[in-house]
Amino acid sequence: MNLVTLFLIPLFIVMLIMAPLVPIARGKMRGKKARHTLIANIFSFFGVCLFAILLPIGGLVSAEATEAVAQTVSMGQGLGYLAAALSTGMSCIGAGLAVAAAAPAAIGACSEDEKSFGKSIVFVGLGEGIGIYGLLVSILIINSL
């Protein structure tokens, strides 16, 4: 297990996948061509992820290490960690969407009437509360494992 197989090869693969996004980020590529490039990039990223899952590079993990992990972590614990990650991730996505909708409306309302600040900031706080609830659920899941 040298530095090349553990760090540099995956870094090179990620750089190859992300290279087509540079012209899009700089604004040099727009329209249909940018959309097709982005779609191809997304499919190639998930293809590499699927390849990494289905055909792992041999020799990186020994058989003794996989047996030790299998003995210490059960299927229920693994699913519990997955549930904790999903509850946090999905609630943060929902909180981002809620704040993205509520914050501009709150700013617009405050620009028209300064007295509406207290009422409008409550709605932004409610959107952020969704993410905090998801984090609390994931903490409870992890503590119950």
Short mmCIF file of all heavy atoms in Angstrom, two decimals, residues 60-117:
data_model
loop_
_atom_site.label_atom_id
_atom_site.label_comp_id
_atom_site.label_asym_id
_atom_site.label_seq_id
_atom_site.Cartn_x
_atom_site.Cartn_y
_atom_site.Cartn_z
N LEU A 60 -5.68 -3.64 -1.55
CA LEU A 60 -5.74 -2.47 -0.67
C LEU A 60 -6.24 -2.84 0.72
O LEU A 60 -5.86 -2.21 1.69
CB LEU A 60 -6.64 -1.39 -1.28
CG LEU A 60 -6.13 -0.73 -2.55
CD1 LEU A 60 -7.11 0.31 -3.03
CD2 LEU A 60 -4.78 -0.11 -2.33
N VAL A 61 -7.09 -3.85 0.81
CA VAL A 61 -7.63 -4.28 2.10
C VAL A 61 -7.34 -5.77 2.25
O VAL A 61 -7.66 -6.56 1.38
CB VAL A 61 -9.14 -4.01 2.18
CG1 VAL A 61 -9.69 -4.49 3.50
CG2 VAL A 61 -9.43 -2.55 1.97
N SER A 62 -6.75 -6.11 3.35
CA SER A 62 -6.42 -7.52 3.56
C SER A 62 -7.65 -8.29 4.02
O SER A 62 -8.64 -7.72 4.48
CB SER A 62 -5.30 -7.64 4.60
OG SER A 62 -5.77 -7.19 5.85
N ALA A 63 -7.59 -9.60 3.91
CA ALA A 63 -8.71 -10.45 4.32
C ALA A 63 -8.93 -10.39 5.83
O ALA A 63 -10.05 -10.46 6.30
CB ALA A 63 -8.46 -11.88 3.88
N GLU A 64 -7.84 -10.24 6.59
CA GLU A 64 -7.98 -10.16 8.04
C GLU A 64 -8.72 -8.90 8.46
O GLU A 64 -9.50 -8.90 9.40
CB GLU A 64 -6.60 -10.20 8.72
CG GLU A 64 -5.86 -11.50 8.56
CD GLU A 64 -5.07 -11.56 7.26
OE1 GLU A 64 -4.81 -10.50 6.66
OE2 GLU A 64 -4.73 -12.67 6.84
N ALA A 65 -8.47 -7.79 7.74
CA ALA A 65 -9.14 -6.54 8.08
C ALA A 65 -10.63 -6.62 7.79
O ALA A 65 -11.44 -6.12 8.57
CB ALA A 65 -8.52 -5.38 7.31
N THR A 66 -11.01 -7.26 6.70
CA THR A 66 -12.44 -7.37 6.39
C THR A 66 -13.15 -8.28 7.38
O THR A 66 -14.30 -8.04 7.73
CB THR A 66 -12.66 -7.88 4.95
OG1 THR A 66 -11.97 -9.12 4.80
CG2 THR A 66 -12.16 -6.88 3.95
N GLU A 67 -12.46 -9.35 7.84
CA GLU A 67 -13.07 -10.22 8.84
C GLU A 67 -13.22 -9.50 10.17
O GLU A 67 -14.22 -9.67 10.86
CB GLU A 67 -12.22 -11.48 9.01
CG GLU A 67 -12.27 -12.42 7.82
CD GLU A 67 -11.31 -13.58 7.97
OE1 GLU A 67 -10.68 -13.71 9.04
OE2 GLU A 67 -11.19 -14.36 7.02
N ALA A 68 -12.24 -8.67 10.54
CA ALA A 68 -12.34 -7.92 11.79
C ALA A 68 -13.48 -6.92 11.74
O ALA A 68 -14.21 -6.74 12.71
CB ALA A 68 -11.02 -7.21 12.08
N VAL A 69 -13.65 -6.27 10.60
CA VAL A 69 -14.75 -5.32 10.46
C VAL A 69 -16.08 -6.04 10.48
O VAL A 69 -17.05 -5.57 11.10
CB VAL A 69 -14.58 -4.50 9.15
CG1 VAL A 69 -15.85 -3.72 8.85
CG2 VAL A 69 -13.41 -3.58 9.26
N ALA A 70 -16.16 -7.20 9.86
CA ALA A 70 -17.41 -7.97 9.84
C ALA A 70 -17.78 -8.42 11.25
O ALA A 70 -18.96 -8.54 11.56
CB ALA A 70 -17.28 -9.16 8.91
N GLN A 71 -16.79 -8.68 12.09
CA GLN A 71 -17.08 -9.11 13.45
C GLN A 71 -17.50 -7.95 14.33
O GLN A 71 -18.27 -8.12 15.26
CB GLN A 71 -15.86 -9.80 14.05
CG GLN A 71 -15.56 -11.13 13.40
CD GLN A 71 -14.26 -11.74 13.92
OE1 GLN A 71 -13.58 -11.13 14.73
NE2 GLN A 71 -13.95 -12.93 13.46
N THR A 72 -17.01 -6.74 14.08
CA THR A 72 -17.30 -5.63 14.98
C THR A 72 -18.55 -4.85 14.58
O THR A 72 -19.20 -4.28 15.43
CB THR A 72 -16.11 -4.65 15.03
OG1 THR A 72 -15.83 -4.19 13.70
CG2 THR A 72 -14.90 -5.32 15.60
N VAL A 73 -18.88 -4.79 13.31
CA VAL A 73 -20.04 -4.01 12.85
C VAL A 73 -21.07 -4.96 12.26
O VAL A 73 -20.78 -5.71 11.34
CB VAL A 73 -19.61 -2.97 11.79
CG1 VAL A 73 -20.83 -2.21 11.30
CG2 VAL A 73 -18.59 -2.02 12.35
N SER A 74 -22.28 -4.94 12.83
CA SER A 74 -23.34 -5.80 12.33
C SER A 74 -24.11 -5.09 11.23
O SER A 74 -23.92 -3.90 10.96
CB SER A 74 -24.27 -6.20 13.46
OG SER A 74 -24.98 -5.06 13.90
N MET A 75 -25.02 -5.81 10.61
CA MET A 75 -25.85 -5.24 9.56
C MET A 75 -26.75 -4.13 10.12
O MET A 75 -26.94 -3.10 9.49
CB MET A 75 -26.68 -6.34 8.92
CG MET A 75 -27.53 -5.87 7.80
SD MET A 75 -26.51 -5.48 6.40
CE MET A 75 -27.65 -5.79 5.09
N GLY A 76 -27.29 -4.35 11.31
CA GLY A 76 -28.15 -3.34 11.92
C GLY A 76 -27.42 -2.05 12.23
O GLY A 76 -27.96 -0.96 12.06
N GLN A 77 -26.17 -2.17 12.67
CA GLN A 77 -25.38 -0.97 12.94
C GLN A 77 -25.08 -0.22 11.65
O GLN A 77 -25.14 1.01 11.60
CB GLN A 77 -24.08 -1.33 13.64
CG GLN A 77 -24.27 -1.72 15.08
CD GLN A 77 -22.96 -2.16 15.71
OE1 GLN A 77 -22.11 -2.72 15.04
NE2 GLN A 77 -22.82 -1.88 17.00
N GLY A 78 -24.76 -0.96 10.61
CA GLY A 78 -24.48 -0.32 9.33
C GLY A 78 -25.70 0.41 8.79
O GLY A 78 -25.60 1.54 8.30
N LEU A 79 -26.88 -0.21 8.90
CA LEU A 79 -28.10 0.44 8.46
C LEU A 79 -28.45 1.63 9.36
O LEU A 79 -29.03 2.62 8.90
CB LEU A 79 -29.25 -0.56 8.41
CG LEU A 79 -29.16 -1.60 7.30
CD1 LEU A 79 -30.28 -2.61 7.43
CD2 LEU A 79 -29.17 -0.95 5.94
N GLY A 80 -28.10 1.53 10.64
CA GLY A 80 -28.32 2.66 11.54
C GLY A 80 -27.48 3.86 11.15
O GLY A 80 -27.95 5.00 11.16
N TYR A 81 -26.21 3.61 10.79
CA TYR A 81 -25.35 4.70 10.33
C TYR A 81 -25.86 5.28 9.03
O TYR A 81 -25.81 6.49 8.81
CB TYR A 81 -23.91 4.23 10.17
CG TYR A 81 -23.23 3.91 11.48
CD1 TYR A 81 -22.52 2.74 11.66
CD2 TYR A 81 -23.29 4.80 12.55
CE1 TYR A 81 -21.90 2.45 12.85
CE2 TYR A 81 -22.68 4.53 13.76
CZ TYR A 81 -21.97 3.35 13.90
OH TYR A 81 -21.37 3.08 15.07
N LEU A 82 -26.36 4.43 8.16
CA LEU A 82 -26.93 4.90 6.90
C LEU A 82 -28.18 5.75 7.16
O LEU A 82 -28.38 6.80 6.54
CB LEU A 82 -27.27 3.72 5.99
CG LEU A 82 -27.82 4.06 4.62
CD1 LEU A 82 -26.79 4.83 3.82
CD2 LEU A 82 -28.23 2.80 3.90
N ALA A 83 -29.02 5.34 8.10
CA ALA A 83 -30.22 6.10 8.45
C ALA A 83 -29.84 7.45 9.06
O ALA A 83 -30.47 8.47 8.76
CB ALA A 83 -31.08 5.32 9.42
N ALA A 84 -28.80 7.47 9.88
CA ALA A 84 -28.35 8.73 10.47
C ALA A 84 -27.84 9.68 9.39
O ALA A 84 -28.15 10.88 9.40
CB ALA A 84 -27.27 8.47 11.51
N ALA A 85 -27.09 9.14 8.44
CA ALA A 85 -26.57 9.98 7.36
C ALA A 85 -27.70 10.50 6.49
O ALA A 85 -27.71 11.68 6.10
CB ALA A 85 -25.57 9.19 6.53
N LEU A 86 -28.67 9.65 6.19
CA LEU A 86 -29.78 10.09 5.35
C LEU A 86 -30.66 11.11 6.05
O LEU A 86 -31.13 12.07 5.42
CB LEU A 86 -30.62 8.88 4.92
CG LEU A 86 -30.03 8.02 3.82
CD1 LEU A 86 -30.88 6.80 3.60
CD2 LEU A 86 -29.89 8.81 2.55
N SER A 87 -30.89 10.93 7.35
CA SER A 87 -31.73 11.91 8.06
C SER A 87 -31.06 13.27 8.11
O SER A 87 -31.72 14.30 7.93
CB SER A 87 -32.07 11.42 9.47
OG SER A 87 -30.91 11.40 10.28
N THR A 88 -29.76 13.30 8.31
CA THR A 88 -29.06 14.58 8.32
C THR A 88 -29.01 15.19 6.92
O THR A 88 -29.31 16.37 6.74
CB THR A 88 -27.63 14.41 8.86
OG1 THR A 88 -27.70 13.87 10.17
CG2 THR A 88 -26.90 15.73 8.90
N GLY A 89 -28.65 14.39 5.94
CA GLY A 89 -28.51 14.91 4.58
C GLY A 89 -29.80 15.41 4.00
O GLY A 89 -29.88 16.51 3.44
N MET A 90 -30.86 14.61 4.11
CA MET A 90 -32.13 15.01 3.53
C MET A 90 -32.75 16.21 4.26
O MET A 90 -33.35 17.08 3.63
CB MET A 90 -33.11 13.84 3.54
CG MET A 90 -32.65 12.68 2.70
SD MET A 90 -32.34 13.19 1.02
CE MET A 90 -33.31 12.02 0.17
N SER A 91 -32.59 16.26 5.57
CA SER A 91 -33.14 17.42 6.28
C SER A 91 -32.36 18.68 5.95
O SER A 91 -32.95 19.77 5.89
CB SER A 91 -33.13 17.17 7.79
OG SER A 91 -31.80 17.11 8.28
N CYS A 92 -31.06 18.56 5.73
CA CYS A 92 -30.28 19.75 5.35
C CYS A 92 -30.63 20.22 3.95
O CYS A 92 -30.66 21.42 3.68
CB CYS A 92 -28.79 19.47 5.47
SG CYS A 92 -28.26 19.37 7.18
N ILE A 93 -30.93 19.29 3.05
CA ILE A 93 -31.39 19.69 1.72
C ILE A 93 -32.73 20.40 1.83
O ILE A 93 -32.96 21.44 1.20
CB ILE A 93 -31.47 18.47 0.79
CG1 ILE A 93 -30.06 17.98 0.44
CG2 ILE A 93 -32.24 18.79 -0.49
CD1 ILE A 93 -30.03 16.67 -0.30
N GLY A 94 -33.64 19.86 2.63
CA GLY A 94 -34.93 20.51 2.84
C GLY A 94 -34.79 21.87 3.49
O GLY A 94 -35.50 22.82 3.12
N ALA A 95 -33.88 21.98 4.45
CA ALA A 95 -33.65 23.28 5.10
C ALA A 95 -33.09 24.28 4.11
O ALA A 95 -33.48 25.46 4.12
CB ALA A 95 -32.71 23.11 6.28
N GLY A 96 -32.20 23.84 3.25
CA GLY A 96 -31.65 24.73 2.24
C GLY A 96 -32.71 25.23 1.28
O GLY A 96 -32.74 26.41 0.92
N LEU A 97 -33.62 24.34 0.87
CA LEU A 97 -34.70 24.75 -0.01
C LEU A 97 -35.65 25.72 0.69
O LEU A 97 -36.13 26.70 0.09
CB LEU A 97 -35.47 23.53 -0.51
CG LEU A 97 -34.71 22.61 -1.46
CD1 LEU A 97 -35.53 21.35 -1.75
CD2 LEU A 97 -34.39 23.33 -2.74
N ALA A 98 -35.94 25.46 1.97
CA ALA A 98 -36.85 26.34 2.71
C ALA A 98 -36.25 27.72 2.92
O ALA A 98 -36.93 28.74 2.74
CB ALA A 98 -37.20 25.70 4.06
N VAL A 99 -34.97 27.76 3.27
CA VAL A 99 -34.32 29.05 3.48
C VAL A 99 -34.16 29.79 2.15
O VAL A 99 -34.30 31.01 2.08
CB VAL A 99 -32.96 28.86 4.19
CG1 VAL A 99 -32.15 30.14 4.20
CG2 VAL A 99 -33.20 28.40 5.61
N ALA A 100 -33.91 29.03 1.07
CA ALA A 100 -33.78 29.66 -0.25
C ALA A 100 -35.08 30.31 -0.69
O ALA A 100 -35.06 31.28 -1.43
CB ALA A 100 -33.33 28.63 -1.28
N ALA A 101 -36.21 29.79 -0.24
CA ALA A 101 -37.48 30.39 -0.59
C ALA A 101 -37.88 31.50 0.39
O ALA A 101 -38.47 32.50 -0.02
CB ALA A 101 -38.56 29.32 -0.63
N ALA A 102 -37.56 31.32 1.66
CA ALA A 102 -38.04 32.27 2.67
C ALA A 102 -37.15 33.50 2.81
O ALA A 102 -37.66 34.60 3.06
CB ALA A 102 -38.15 31.56 4.03
N ALA A 103 -35.85 33.35 2.65
CA ALA A 103 -34.95 34.48 2.88
C ALA A 103 -35.15 35.61 1.88
O ALA A 103 -35.20 36.78 2.29
CB ALA A 103 -33.50 33.99 2.90
N PRO A 104 -35.26 35.34 0.58
CA PRO A 104 -35.50 36.48 -0.33
C PRO A 104 -36.83 37.17 -0.08
O PRO A 104 -36.95 38.39 -0.21
CB PRO A 104 -35.48 35.85 -1.72
CG PRO A 104 -34.73 34.60 -1.58
CD PRO A 104 -35.00 34.13 -0.20
N ALA A 105 -37.84 36.39 0.30
CA ALA A 105 -39.14 36.99 0.62
C ALA A 105 -39.03 37.85 1.88
O ALA A 105 -39.64 38.92 1.95
CB ALA A 105 -40.18 35.90 0.81
N ALA A 106 -38.25 37.39 2.85
CA ALA A 106 -38.07 38.17 4.07
C ALA A 106 -37.30 39.46 3.78
O ALA A 106 -37.63 40.53 4.32
CB ALA A 106 -37.32 37.34 5.11
N ILE A 107 -36.31 39.39 2.93
CA ILE A 107 -35.55 40.59 2.58
C ILE A 107 -36.45 41.58 1.83
O ILE A 107 -36.41 42.79 2.08
CB ILE A 107 -34.32 40.21 1.73
CG1 ILE A 107 -33.32 39.45 2.61
CG2 ILE A 107 -33.66 41.45 1.14
CD1 ILE A 107 -32.19 38.83 1.82
N GLY A 108 -37.26 41.05 0.91
CA GLY A 108 -38.19 41.93 0.19
C GLY A 108 -39.21 42.57 1.10
O GLY A 108 -39.54 43.77 0.95
N ALA A 109 -39.71 41.81 2.06
CA ALA A 109 -40.69 42.37 3.00
C ALA A 109 -40.06 43.42 3.89
O ALA A 109 -40.67 44.45 4.19
CB ALA A 109 -41.30 41.26 3.85
N CYS A 110 -38.83 43.21 4.31
CA CYS A 110 -38.14 44.17 5.17
C CYS A 110 -37.78 45.44 4.40
O CYS A 110 -37.71 46.52 4.99
CB CYS A 110 -36.89 43.56 5.77
SG CYS A 110 -37.22 42.32 7.00
N SER A 111 -37.52 45.31 3.10
CA SER A 111 -37.20 46.50 2.33
C SER A 111 -38.43 47.38 2.12
O SER A 111 -38.31 48.59 1.98
CB SER A 111 -36.59 46.12 0.98
OG SER A 111 -37.55 45.46 0.18
N GLU A 112 -39.61 46.78 2.12
CA GLU A 112 -40.84 47.56 1.98
C GLU A 112 -41.30 48.14 3.30
O GLU A 112 -41.74 49.29 3.37
CB GLU A 112 -41.94 46.71 1.37
CG GLU A 112 -41.69 46.35 -0.08
CD GLU A 112 -42.79 45.49 -0.66
OE1 GLU A 112 -43.83 45.30 0.02
OE2 GLU A 112 -42.61 45.02 -1.79
N ASP A 113 -41.21 47.33 4.36
CA ASP A 113 -41.68 47.78 5.68
C ASP A 113 -40.73 47.24 6.73
O ASP A 113 -40.63 46.02 6.92
CB ASP A 113 -43.11 47.28 5.93
CG ASP A 113 -43.67 47.77 7.24
OD1 ASP A 113 -43.14 48.75 7.79
OD2 ASP A 113 -44.66 47.17 7.71
N GLU A 114 -40.03 48.12 7.43
CA GLU A 114 -39.03 47.69 8.41
C GLU A 114 -39.66 47.00 9.62
O GLU A 114 -39.00 46.26 10.33
CB GLU A 114 -38.20 48.88 8.86
CG GLU A 114 -37.33 49.45 7.76
CD GLU A 114 -36.56 50.68 8.21
OE1 GLU A 114 -36.68 51.05 9.40
OE2 GLU A 114 -35.86 51.25 7.38
N LYS A 115 -40.92 47.22 9.86
CA LYS A 115 -41.59 46.61 11.01
C LYS A 115 -41.86 45.12 10.80
O LYS A 115 -42.14 44.40 11.74
CB LYS A 115 -42.90 47.33 11.29
CG LYS A 115 -42.73 48.75 11.73
CD LYS A 115 -44.06 49.42 11.96
CE LYS A 115 -43.88 50.87 12.32
NZ LYS A 115 -45.16 51.56 12.47
N SER A 116 -41.77 44.66 9.57
CA SER A 116 -42.05 43.25 9.29
C SER A 116 -40.83 42.34 9.49
O SER A 116 -40.90 41.16 9.19
CB SER A 116 -42.56 43.10 7.85
OG SER A 116 -41.52 43.43 6.94
N PHE A 117 -39.73 42.89 10.01
CA PHE A 117 -38.52 42.08 10.19
C PHE A 117 -38.75 40.93 11.15
O PHE A 117 -38.37 39.79 10.87
CB PHE A 117 -37.37 42.96 10.69
CG PHE A 117 -36.12 42.19 10.97
CD1 PHE A 117 -35.33 41.73 9.93
CD2 PHE A 117 -35.74 41.89 12.26
CE1 PHE A 117 -34.18 41.02 10.17
CE2 PHE A 117 -34.59 41.17 12.51
CZ PHE A 117 -33.81 40.74 11.47
#
